[in-house]
Each structure stands twice: as C-alpha cells, then as structure tokens.
Amino acid sequence: MYKRILLKLSGESLMGSKQYGIDEVRLAEYAQQIKQIADMGVQIGIVIGGGNIFRGLSGAGKGFDRVKGDQMGMLATTINALGLSSALNAIGQKARVLTAINMFPIGEQYSKWRAIELMEKGEIAILAGGTGCPYFTTDTGSALRGIEIEADVMLKGTRVDGIYTADPEKDPSATKFDKITYDEIYQKGLKVMDLTATTLCRDNKLPIIVFNMDKMGNLVKVMQGENIGTLVYEK
Ligand code: UDP
C-alpha cells in the first residue's frame, strides 16, 4: 500500500449533476471516500481543479485578460478547496487548506514542509491555487506538488475508468489500458493530462494512476492495489 499520495480531483466532477458550481452530494461522497483511506493510515495531499467555476482559457476566449482569467481560475480552485475541507471536517476528518498564493486567513501559505508536517499528523493537506502561476493547469499543479511532497503516486480521479485508446464518451469501440508508459502517451497522442504535467511526472518518476473517482469505493480499491484504473509508469 502507498504511504503518501497526491490525489488530484477535477473541478468539473464536483458539479455532479449540476451545470455549474458545487454539487453537495458529490462533495460529500468525495469526502467519505477520502476519509476511508485516511482511516487506513495513508498520508494524503489533494489538489483540486476549478473547471466547475472558471477556466482562464475559456475566459480569455470571452475577452478576459489571460493572466487575470487564470488568477480567477486559481481562486476557483480555492473555493473548491474550502468546500472540500468543510465537507471533510463535517465528517470528523481534519483537513487544512494551504494556498499557493498568500491569502491568509483563507488558508495558510503552502510550503512543502508545512504540507508534510500536517500529513504526518494525520491531517489532509488540500493544496489550493494550483502552481500559483498563470498558464498552468491543476494537473501540472498536482504533478508539481506530488513531486514536492514526495508522494509515492499521483492518483488522478476522473469520471472515466482510466486511459482509453480513444475518448470512451465519444467512441464506443475504445478500449482501456491497464498500464501504459509515459512515452506511449506521447507516441499515441493520448489526452490524459497536458504535456507539461506528464513530463514533470516522467522526469521525476512519479507514477500516475488514472481512475474513476465518481464511483463510490473506487479510491479504497485503488489503495488496496485493485487494478481498476490505468497505471502510468516508466519502463
Ligand atoms: N490555473 C492556473 N495555474 C495553475 C492552476 C490552475 O492559472 O497552476 C487556472 C487556469 O485558468 C485553469 C483554472 O485555474 O483553467 C482551473 O484549473 P483546471 O482547469 O486545471 O481545473 P479542472 O480542469 O481540473 O477542473
């Protein structure tokens, strides 16, 4: 079993059945799944996206300044981080929001050592604001934080069961990989994460497991080593 993980949650999944914002039911389900593995003794860092609220790139398409749009996106991830920490606290799980950009008292400012200190005490470190820099995504933020906090693996929770030969939501003949190398992702042009995030993981040998976080119980299964998603590794 993994000792320390970095869990990436997509903002978009937090919408659940809604068109925008946070679905409380989905949020509560995520919190339950996370508490289950915290109770198993796993140290957990979480990076959460903001796509359910705002994405800088789509803002730029509507005439926003790109850097300001990305800053709005980073604030969106912070809103989600606060929501998740609140849902975890509500079920008796300690969790703390650490922000990439100083915005005390909304969260403490992130540092690798503070995150590790909290995780070692059994608290969940929710790392908000992505990398803190525009032109990046929270996938890159989670690769970076995963490496920094010396996680054993990055778990990328999505709404599909893993990495497929094509988009399974569009192509019914698509098949799933049980495992795949970073290089195969480039060669096959698979859209798993943006290339910056994939490259960071590859260069620093951080394995990734892509799995469906929206099915209750899946996070525990991944932790128990069940082969329900796709492992990305170096040959
Ligand atoms: N963002 C950013 N820098 C980062 C991480 C995120 O500027 O390091 C902004 C960017 O505008 C992005 C938005 O925050 O579109 C929300 O993050 P993301 O799109 O990764 O969320 P997800 O797709 O996981 O919901």
Side-chain angles (χ1 to χ4, degrees):
M1 202 177 72
Y2 301 109
K3 178 170 173 268
R4 181 179 296 156
I5 63 160
L6 188 294
L7 175 65
K8 159 77 206 298
L9 297 175
S10 111
E12 210 159 287
S13 289
L14 267 194
M15 285 194 291
S17 50
K18 297 191 173 175
Q19 297 298 309
Y20 177 82
I22 301 175
D23 176 29
E24 317 73 51
V25 177
R26 175 59 54 73
L27 190 67
E29 284 174 1
Y30 277 5
Q32 270 177 43
Q33 291 202 69
I34 294 162
K35 183 172 186 332
Q36 264 185 312
I37 63 160
D39 289 343
M40 291 160 66
V42 186
Q43 295 182 19
I44 307 164
I46 299 178
V47 168
I48 189 159
N52 55 324
I53 300 171
F54 200 86
R55 280 207 179 93
L57 202 55
S58 37
K62 291 177 192 143
F64 283 92
D65 174 77
R66 172 70 195 266
V67 173
K68 287 197 165 79
D70 279 340
Q71 289 171 336
M72 291 165 76
M74 288 186 263
L75 290 173
T77 73
T78 311
I79 293 175
N80 287 334
L82 289 172
L84 182 63
S85 72
S86 173
L88 285 163
N89 293 160
I91 55 171
Q93 174 60 53
K94 286 193 175 158
R96 200 88 61 109
V97 174
L98 303 184
T99 60
I101 298 165
N102 185 7
M103 49 177 98
F104 186 81
I106 286 176
E108 289 175 47
Q109 183 141 23
Y110 166 82
S111 77
K112 161 186 177 164
W113 299 279
R114 184 65 179 139
I116 290 177
E117 186 185 13
L118 289 169
M119 290 186 295
E120 284 179 342
K121 281 199 297 187
E123 287 198 42
I124 291 171
I126 305 178
L127 312 175
T131 63
C133 298
Y135 297 96
F136 288 101
T137 62
T138 49
D139 278 342
T140 301
S142 57
L144 175 65
R145 296 301 188 228
I147 296 159
E148 280 189 276
I149 67 169
E150 299 170 33
D152 301 318
V153 67
M154 169 172 155
L155 302 182
K156 182 173 156 65
T158 65
R159 56 181 186 195
V160 289
D161 289 329
I163 303 174
Y164 282 76
T165 48
D167 184 348
E169 289 179 350
K170 291 183 189 136
D171 181 351
S173 68
T175 53
K176 183 170 84 74
F177 297 98
D178 282 340
K179 54 183 188 170
I180 188 167
T181 63
Y182 305 105
D183 287 339
E184 282 173 306
I185 290 181
Y186 300 126
Q187 284 153 13
K188 297 183 199 294
L190 298 171
K191 290 187 180 58
V192 182
M193 306 195 296
D194 54 276
L195 291 179
T196 317
T198 309
T199 305
L200 257 180
C201 290
R202 186 190 64 170
D203 289 355
N204 295 282
K205 301 188 174 40
L206 178 66
I208 310 161
I209 298 177
V210 181
F211 72 105
N212 188 341
M213 177 77 189
D214 294 355
K215 280 191 197 147
M216 281 295 276
N218 266 3
L219 185 57
V220 169
K221 286 184 184 164
V222 171
M223 288 308 302
Q224 288 169 339
E226 270 190 56
N227 187 12
I228 57 164
T230 301
L231 169 72
V232 186
Y233 68 108
E234 182 160 83
K235 224 185 317 198

Coordinates of all heavy atoms in Angstrom, one line a residue, residues 184-232:
E184 N 4.6 6.1 -24.3 CA 3.4 5.7 -25.1 C 2.3 6.8 -25.2 O 1.6 6.9 -26.2 CB 2.8 4.4 -24.6 CG 3.7 3.2 -24.9 CD 3.1 1.9 -24.3 OE1 3.0 1.9 -23.0 OE2 2.9 0.9 -25.0
I185 N 2.2 7.5 -24.1 CA 1.2 8.6 -24.1 C 1.5 9.6 -25.1 O 0.7 10.1 -25.9 CB 1.1 9.2 -22.6 CG1 0.5 8.2 -21.7 CG2 0.3 10.5 -22.7 CD1 0.3 8.7 -20.3
Y186 N 2.8 10.0 -25.2 CA 3.3 10.9 -26.2 C 3.1 10.3 -27.6 O 2.5 11.0 -28.5 CB 4.8 11.3 -26.1 CG 5.2 11.9 -24.7 CD1 6.2 11.4 -24.0 CD2 4.6 13.1 -24.3 CE1 6.6 11.9 -22.8 CE2 5.0 13.6 -23.1 CZ 6.0 13.1 -22.3 OH 6.4 13.6 -21.2
Q187 N 3.6 9.1 -27.7 CA 3.6 8.5 -29.1 C 2.2 8.3 -29.6 O 1.9 8.6 -30.8 CB 4.3 7.1 -29.0 CG 5.8 7.2 -29.0 CD 6.4 6.0 -28.3 OE1 5.7 5.0 -28.1 NE2 7.7 6.1 -27.9
K188 N 1.2 7.9 -28.8 CA -0.1 7.7 -29.2 C -1.0 9.0 -29.2 O -2.1 9.0 -29.6 CB -0.8 6.6 -28.4 CG -0.1 5.3 -28.4 CD -0.9 4.3 -27.6 CE -0.1 3.0 -27.2 NZ 0.2 2.2 -28.4
G189 N -0.3 10.1 -28.7 CA -1.1 11.4 -28.7 C -2.3 11.3 -27.8 O -3.3 12.0 -28.0
L190 N -2.2 10.5 -26.7 CA -3.4 10.4 -25.8 C -3.5 11.7 -24.9 O -2.5 12.2 -24.4 CB -3.2 9.2 -24.9 CG -3.2 7.8 -25.7 CD1 -2.8 6.7 -24.7 CD2 -4.5 7.5 -26.3
K191 N -4.8 12.1 -24.7 CA -5.0 13.3 -23.9 C -5.4 12.9 -22.5 O -6.5 12.9 -22.1 CB -6.1 14.1 -24.6 CG -5.7 14.7 -25.9 CD -6.7 15.7 -26.5 CE -6.1 16.2 -27.8 NZ -5.8 15.2 -28.8
V192 N -4.3 12.5 -21.8 CA -4.5 12.1 -20.4 C -4.5 13.3 -19.5 O -5.4 13.6 -18.7 CB -3.4 11.1 -19.9 CG1 -3.6 10.7 -18.5 CG2 -3.3 10.0 -20.9
M193 N -3.4 14.1 -19.6 CA -3.2 15.3 -18.9 C -2.5 16.2 -19.9 O -2.0 15.8 -21.0 CB -2.3 15.1 -17.7 CG -2.7 14.1 -16.8 SD -1.8 14.2 -15.2 CE -0.1 13.9 -15.7
D194 N -2.3 17.5 -19.6 CA -1.5 18.3 -20.5 C 0.0 17.8 -20.5 O 0.4 17.1 -19.5 CB -1.6 19.8 -20.2 CG -1.3 20.1 -18.8 OD1 -2.2 20.0 -17.9 OD2 -0.1 20.4 -18.5
L195 N 0.7 18.1 -21.5 CA 2.1 17.5 -21.7 C 3.0 18.0 -20.6 O 3.9 17.3 -20.1 CB 2.6 17.9 -23.0 CG 2.0 17.1 -24.2 CD1 2.6 17.5 -25.5 CD2 2.0 15.6 -24.0
T196 N 2.8 19.2 -20.1 CA 3.7 19.8 -19.0 C 3.6 18.9 -17.8 O 4.6 18.5 -17.2 CB 3.2 21.2 -18.6 OG1 3.0 21.9 -19.8 CG2 4.3 21.9 -17.8
A197 N 2.3 18.5 -17.4 CA 2.1 17.7 -16.3 C 2.7 16.3 -16.5 O 3.4 15.7 -15.6 CB 0.6 17.5 -16.0
T198 N 2.5 15.7 -17.7 CA 3.0 14.3 -17.9 C 4.5 14.3 -17.9 O 5.2 13.4 -17.3 CB 2.5 13.9 -19.3 OG1 1.1 14.1 -19.4 CG2 2.9 12.4 -19.6
T199 N 5.1 15.4 -18.5 CA 6.6 15.5 -18.5 C 7.2 15.6 -17.1 O 8.2 15.0 -16.8 CB 7.0 16.6 -19.4 OG1 6.4 16.4 -20.7 CG2 8.5 16.7 -19.6
L200 N 6.5 16.4 -16.3 CA 7.0 16.6 -14.9 C 7.0 15.2 -14.2 O 8.0 14.9 -13.5 CB 6.1 17.5 -14.1 CG 6.5 19.0 -13.9 CD1 5.5 19.7 -13.1 CD2 7.9 19.0 -13.1
C201 N 5.9 14.5 -14.3 CA 5.8 13.2 -13.7 C 6.9 12.2 -14.2 O 7.6 11.5 -13.5 CB 4.5 12.6 -13.9 SG 3.2 13.4 -13.0
R202 N 7.1 12.2 -15.6 CA 8.1 11.3 -16.2 C 9.5 11.7 -15.7 O 10.2 10.8 -15.3 CB 8.0 11.4 -17.7 CG 8.9 10.4 -18.3 CD 9.1 10.6 -19.8 NE 9.7 11.8 -20.1 CZ 10.2 12.2 -21.3 NH1 10.0 11.4 -22.3 NH2 10.8 13.3 -21.5
D203 N 9.8 13.0 -15.8 CA 11.2 13.4 -15.4 C 11.5 13.1 -14.0 O 12.7 13.0 -13.6 CB 11.4 14.8 -15.7 CG 11.5 15.1 -17.2 OD1 11.4 14.1 -18.0 OD2 11.5 16.3 -17.6
N204 N 10.5 13.1 -13.1 CA 10.7 12.9 -11.7 C 10.2 11.5 -11.2 O 10.1 11.3 -10.0 CB 10.1 14.0 -10.9 CG 10.8 15.3 -11.3 OD1 11.9 15.6 -10.8 ND2 10.2 16.1 -12.2
K205 N 9.9 10.6 -12.2 CA 9.5 9.3 -11.9 C 8.3 9.2 -10.9 O 8.4 8.4 -9.9 CB 10.7 8.4 -11.4 CG 11.8 8.4 -12.4 CD 12.9 7.4 -12.0 CE 14.0 7.3 -13.1 NZ 14.4 8.5 -13.8
L206 N 7.3 10.0 -11.1 CA 6.1 9.9 -10.2 C 5.1 9.1 -11.0 O 4.6 9.6 -12.0 CB 5.6 11.3 -9.9 CG 4.3 11.4 -9.1 CD1 4.6 10.9 -7.7 CD2 3.8 12.8 -9.0
P207 N 4.8 7.9 -10.6 CA 3.8 7.1 -11.3 C 2.4 7.8 -11.1 O 2.1 8.5 -10.1 CB 3.8 5.8 -10.6 CG 4.7 5.8 -9.4 CD 5.3 7.2 -9.4
I208 N 1.5 7.6 -12.1 CA 0.2 8.1 -12.0 C -0.8 7.0 -12.2 O -0.6 6.0 -12.9 CB -0.1 9.1 -13.3 CG1 1.1 10.1 -13.4 CG2 -1.4 9.8 -13.2 CD1 1.2 10.7 -14.8
I209 N -1.9 7.0 -11.4 CA -3.0 6.1 -11.6 C -4.2 6.9 -12.0 O -4.6 7.8 -11.2 CB -3.3 5.2 -10.4 CG1 -2.1 4.3 -10.1 CG2 -4.5 4.3 -10.7 CD1 -2.2 3.4 -8.9
V210 N -4.8 6.7 -13.2 CA -6.0 7.4 -13.6 C -7.1 6.4 -13.3 O -7.1 5.3 -13.7 CB -5.9 7.7 -15.1 CG1 -7.2 8.5 -15.5 CG2 -4.7 8.5 -15.4
F211 N -8.1 6.9 -12.6 CA -9.3 6.0 -12.2 C -10.5 6.9 -12.1 O -10.5 8.1 -12.0 CB -8.9 5.3 -10.9 CG -9.0 6.2 -9.7 CD1 -10.1 6.1 -8.8 CD2 -8.0 7.1 -9.5 CE1 -10.2 7.0 -7.7 CE2 -8.1 8.0 -8.4 CZ -9.2 7.9 -7.5
N212 N -11.7 6.1 -12.0 CA -13.0 6.8 -11.9 C -13.3 7.1 -10.4 O -13.6 6.2 -9.6 CB -14.0 5.9 -12.5 CG -15.4 6.6 -12.6 OD1 -15.6 7.6 -11.9 ND2 -16.2 6.1 -13.5
M213 N -13.2 8.3 -10.0 CA -13.4 8.7 -8.6 C -14.9 8.9 -8.3 O -15.3 9.0 -7.2 CB -12.7 10.1 -8.4 CG -12.8 10.7 -7.0 SD -11.8 9.9 -5.8 CE -12.5 10.7 -4.3
D214 N -15.7 8.9 -9.4 CA -17.1 9.2 -9.2 C -17.9 8.0 -8.8 O -19.1 8.0 -8.5 CB -17.7 9.9 -10.5 CG -17.1 11.2 -10.7 OD1 -16.3 11.7 -9.9 OD2 -17.4 11.9 -11.8
K215 N -17.2 6.8 -8.8 CA -17.9 5.6 -8.3 C -17.4 5.4 -6.9 O -16.2 5.2 -6.6 CB -17.4 4.3 -9.2 CG -18.2 4.2 -10.5 CD -17.9 2.8 -11.1 CE -18.3 2.9 -12.6 NZ -17.4 2.0 -13.4
M216 N -18.4 5.3 -6.0 CA -18.1 5.2 -4.6 C -17.3 3.9 -4.3 O -17.6 2.9 -4.9 CB -19.4 5.1 -3.7 CG -20.0 6.5 -3.5 SD -19.0 7.5 -2.5 CE -19.5 7.0 -0.8
G217 N -16.3 4.0 -3.5 CA -15.5 2.8 -3.1 C -14.3 2.7 -4.0 O -13.4 1.9 -3.6
N218 N -14.2 3.4 -5.1 CA -13.1 3.2 -6.0 C -11.7 3.6 -5.4 O -10.7 3.0 -5.7 CB -13.3 4.0 -7.3 CG -13.9 3.1 -8.4 OD1 -14.2 1.9 -8.1 ND2 -14.1 3.6 -9.6
L219 N -11.8 4.7 -4.6 CA -10.5 5.2 -4.1 C -9.9 4.1 -3.1 O -8.7 3.9 -3.2 CB -10.8 6.5 -3.3 CG -9.5 7.2 -2.8 CD1 -8.5 7.5 -3.9 CD2 -9.9 8.5 -2.1
V220 N -10.7 3.5 -2.3 CA -10.2 2.4 -1.5 C -9.6 1.3 -2.3 O -8.6 0.7 -2.0 CB -11.3 1.9 -0.5 CG1 -10.9 0.6 0.1 CG2 -11.7 2.9 0.5
K221 N -10.4 0.9 -3.4 CA -9.9 -0.2 -4.2 C -8.5 0.1 -4.8 O -7.7 -0.7 -4.9 CB -10.9 -0.4 -5.4 CG -12.2 -1.1 -4.9 CD -13.1 -1.4 -6.1 CE -14.4 -2.0 -5.6 NZ -15.4 -1.9 -6.6
V222 N -8.3 1.4 -5.3 CA -7.0 1.8 -5.8 C -6.0 1.6 -4.8 O -4.9 1.1 -5.0 CB -7.1 3.2 -6.4 CG1 -5.7 3.7 -6.8 CG2 -8.0 3.3 -7.6
M223 N -6.3 2.1 -3.5 CA -5.3 2.0 -2.5 C -5.0 0.5 -2.1 O -3.9 0.2 -1.7 CB -5.8 2.7 -1.2 CG -5.9 4.2 -1.3 SD -4.3 4.9 -1.8 CE -3.2 4.3 -0.6
Q224 N -6.0 -0.4 -2.3 CA -5.7 -1.8 -2.0 C -5.1 -2.5 -3.1 O -4.9 -3.7 -3.1 CB -7.1 -2.4 -1.6 CG -7.6 -2.0 -0.2 CD -9.0 -2.4 0.1 OE1 -9.8 -2.7 -0.9 NE2 -9.4 -2.4 1.3
G225 N -4.8 -1.8 -4.2 CA -4.0 -2.4 -5.3 C -4.9 -3.0 -6.3 O -4.4 -3.7 -7.2
E226 N -6.2 -2.8 -6.3 CA -7.1 -3.4 -7.3 C -6.8 -2.7 -8.6 O -6.7 -1.5 -8.6 CB -8.5 -3.3 -6.9 CG -9.0 -4.4 -6.1 CD -10.5 -4.4 -5.9 OE1 -11.3 -4.3 -6.9 OE2 -11.0 -4.4 -4.8
N227 N -6.8 -3.5 -9.7 CA -6.5 -2.9 -11.0 C -7.7 -2.4 -11.7 O -8.2 -2.9 -12.6 CB -5.8 -4.1 -11.8 CG -5.3 -3.6 -13.1 OD1 -5.2 -2.4 -13.3 ND2 -4.9 -4.5 -14.0
I228 N -8.2 -1.2 -11.1 CA -9.5 -0.7 -11.7 C -9.2 0.5 -12.6 O -10.2 0.9 -13.3 CB -10.5 -0.3 -10.6 CG1 -9.9 0.7 -9.7 CG2 -11.0 -1.5 -9.9 CD1 -10.9 1.4 -8.8
G229 N -8.0 1.0 -12.6 CA -7.8 2.2 -13.5 C -6.6 1.9 -14.5 O -6.5 0.8 -14.9
T230 N -5.9 2.9 -14.8 CA -4.7 2.7 -15.6 C -3.5 3.3 -14.9 O -3.5 4.4 -14.4 CB -4.9 3.5 -17.0 OG1 -6.0 3.0 -17.6 CG2 -3.6 3.3 -17.9
L231 N -2.4 2.5 -14.9 CA -1.2 2.9 -14.2 C -0.3 3.5 -15.3 O 0.0 2.9 -16.4 CB -0.5 1.7 -13.6 CG 1.0 2.0 -13.1 CD1 1.0 2.9 -11.9 CD2 1.6 0.6 -12.8
V232 N 0.3 4.7 -15.1 CA 1.3 5.3 -16.0 C 2.6 5.2 -15.3 O 2.8 5.6 -14.2 CB 1.0 6.7 -16.3 CG1 1.9 7.3 -17.3 CG2 -0.5 6.9 -16.8

